[in-house]
Amino acid sequence: MAWGGFLLAILAEYIGLYTLQEPFYVKGYYAIGGAFLIVACLVLQKTIRDNEEDSLFLKETEE
């Protein structure tokens, strides 16, 4: 469900960019900004997951 919403949001963003009545450089600016946000979200999710796994591993080794 979460991946579906994520993909739907990306699709809506880029459809909106495609239909935007602005020069190409403006569309490019928004497209790069959107791509950066997507990558930042994925990196943040991975970092949070890795930190949680590390804390669980440290708890197991302490016991």
Side-chain angles (χ1 to χ4, degrees):
M1 185 74 159
W3 278 107
F6 183 67
L7 293 175
L8 183 64
I10 292 171
L11 181 66
E13 177 186 355
Y14 286 104
I15 288 174
L17 280 175
Y18 180 74
T19 61
L20 185 65
Q21 297 295 321
E22 291 291 332
F24 186 69
Y25 68 90
V26 174
K27 290 182 179 184
Y29 177 79
Y30 287 134
I32 294 298
F36 179 75
L37 286 173
I38 292 165
V39 170
C41 288
L42 294 173
V43 169
L44 177 62
Q45 176 269 332
K46 184 182 180 324
T47 302
I48 291 171
R49 186 196 66 205
D50 289 348
N51 287 342
E52 183 66 25
E53 287 176 355
D54 288 345
S55 68
L56 291 174
F57 179 72
L58 288 175
K59 286 180 184 177
E60 288 176 2
T61 57
E62 288 177 353
E63 294 177 353

